[in-house]
Amino acid sequence: MISRLDRRAFLQSASLAFIASLARRSWADGGAPSAAEDAFVRFGSAPQQLATPLSFMERPITPTPVFFVRSHFGPPALDAARKVAITGMVKTPLTLSVADLKGLPEVTITAVLQCAGNSRSFIEPRVPGVQWSHGAMGQATFTGVRLKDLLEKAGVDTKAGFVRVSGGDLAPKPTVPAFIRSIPLSRAMDPTTLVATRMNGEPLTLAHGAPLRLIVPGWAGDHWIKWLTTVNVQKDEADGFYMHTAYKFPTEVVAPGQPVPPEKMKSLTTFPVKSIIGRPADGGRAPIGAQEVVGVAFSGDAAIAKVEVSLDDGKTWKPAALEGEGGVGRWQVFRYRFEQKTAGRVTALARATDRKNNAQPEKAVWNPSGYHWNAWHRVSWEVA
Ligand SMILES: Nc1nc2c(c(=O)[nH]1)N[C@H]1C(S)=C(S)[C@@H](COP(=O)(O)O)O[C@H]1N2
Ligand SMILES: [Mo]
């Protein structure tokens, strides 16, 4: 069940008390939000699943108060002094708080954070999991230190191959598996992999992982560990439900609805090329005359090369203008303007292509968990 939550409903909800402090804060890009904007889409009764409204998918930066939230078990108590341990196959294990990171080079990266299950509700046939529309993504600036600098300080064993990362949130009962992910050492040492302390220029909020979280630009959100407590350097990939069973994608195309044997599944890494139209809203209205199709486009594999828009159901495509700086795992706003001289229904499609020539497909690849949906986004509105 999906319900829209207005600010009042938010503030009345005790379990969302942490959001209250956010709502009182000024908006990252200035100006008070309208009533319609100041709403999350909430899934069922779980406050840990909050979606960013589609209308924000036309901005370079997603304001923190509407940045989607996805937490398997909910946040642990806020503890500004929580430390991260760099342990396992290292010469000198380290235990570091935010204050202990001060001496290291500070890095700020603008990156898309997208849940692997974003847009899952559009997979046909449908699959279980949080039935996200397109709101399980956002772009923010993240500030922190390179994980590489911490690993080098600790001195990584030459036989190490992975880091097992986990946070301070606990499964609700002992029989529920802990949320643990493994990341190849090569990706952990990538200069864009950060231990972040700030988001959009402010200290991380509890919902987004305060005081420390991992940033893995280009990779699906499940690697971006919140409330980070442990970076355990290991020889092999970690085991457990969240590596073994969850976040896997078939190694070859499978027939929709077909079960896939475990040996034909591999762990997710980067998210594929995608564009989403933020405006006009599907089902909306606009006066005859100038029309504007605006959205965001990104790829976990390369910077965006182009975004095209079609007004004839994919028969012909026109290039949209790209705004802002491009990069791997970073979104750019695209804009396409045209004149609509007659009344009637208009349908726009958008498709992005990245610099490795990966093109957004007409239909997404079906997979058992509905990850990485990235089909052409289609929006219709009434011109009158
Ligand atoms: N410790 C911890 N980190 C976590 C999670 C979690 O449940 N626990 N959820 C992950 C998933 S699946 C996603 S998509 C992102 C969501 O980040 P956000 O809530 O800041 O948007 O956090 C990731 N990091
Ligand atoms: Mo996720």
Side-chain angles (χ1 to χ4, degrees), residues 143-164:
T143 304
V145 302
R146 294 194 172 97
L147 178 58
K148 176 179 189 285
D149 290 348
L150 302 182
L151 290 168
E152 282 174 353
K153 213 171 156 184
V156 173
D157 191 301
T158 50
K159 288 185 218 67
F162 291 84
V163 295
R164 193 193 73 197

Side-chain angles (χ1 to χ4, degrees), residues 48-50 67-74 76 113-117 132 136-138 142 166-169 179 181 199 204-205 207-209 213-214 220-228 242 247:
Q48 293 88 2
Q49 272 70 259
L50 302 168
F67 203 102
F68 89 96
V69 177
R70 165 63 170 135
S71 304
H72 291 82
F73 317 129
L113 168 50
Q114 180 180 221
C115 182
W132 297 108
M137 64 176 197
F142 296 95
S166 58
D169 50 338
F179 184 65
R181 294 290 295 161
M199 176 174 174
L204 281 168
T205 61
H208 295 296
R213 92 171 294 176
L214 207 60
D222 47 281
H223 301 93
W224 299 46
I225 301 294
K226 302 194 275 192
W227 317 294
L228 186 66
Y242 286 103
Y247 301 118

Side-chain angles (χ1 to χ4, degrees), residues 113-304:
L113 168 50
Q114 180 180 221
C115 182
N118 190 28
S119 314
R120 177 183 283 125
S121 61
F122 301 96
I123 289 269
E124 285 284 344
R126 291 176 83 128
V127 297
V130 181
Q131 294 301 304
W132 297 108
S133 177
H134 304 302
M137 64 176 197
Q139 176 155 278
T141 62
F142 296 95
T143 304
V145 302
R146 294 194 172 97
L147 178 58
K148 176 179 189 285
D149 290 348
L150 302 182
L151 290 168
E152 282 174 353
K153 213 171 156 184
V156 173
D157 191 301
T158 50
K159 288 185 218 67
F162 291 84
V163 295
R164 193 193 73 197
V165 283
S166 58
D169 50 338
L170 290 174
K173 44 185 181 172
T175 47
V176 176
F179 184 65
I180 287 168
R181 294 290 295 161
S182 253
I183 297 173
L185 189 61
S186 56
R187 188 61 179 88
M189 296 294 277
D190 186 287
T192 66
T193 305
L194 304 186
V195 173
T197 59
R198 302 173 82 80
M199 176 174 174
N200 289 339
E202 304 267 353
L204 281 168
T205 61
L206 181 61
H208 295 296
L212 299 162
R213 92 171 294 176
L214 207 60
I215 299 306
V216 192
W219 285 40
D222 47 281
H223 301 93
W224 299 46
I225 301 294
K226 302 194 275 192
W227 317 294
L228 186 66
T229 52
T230 313
V231 177
N232 194 320
V233 181
Q234 301 184 321
K235 187 165 175 293
D236 301 308
E237 196 172 78
D239 219 359
F241 173 81
Y242 286 103
M243 285 309 294
H244 223 225
T245 310
Y247 301 118
K248 294 229 160 175
F249 204 87
T251 52
E252 47 199 73
V253 175
V254 298
Q258 205 65 20
V260 185
E263 66 275 13
K264 293 222 160 143
M265 299 286 275
K266 63 167 191 289
S267 283
L268 294 179
T269 57
T270 57
F271 46 74
V273 64
K274 184 172 188 175
S275 65
I276 289 292
I277 298 169
R279 183 166 49 86
D282 192 47
R285 299 174 71 81
I288 285 177
Q291 311 289 315
E292 189 172 65
V293 178
V294 196
V296 295
F298 55 94
S299 161
D301 291 323
I304 289 299

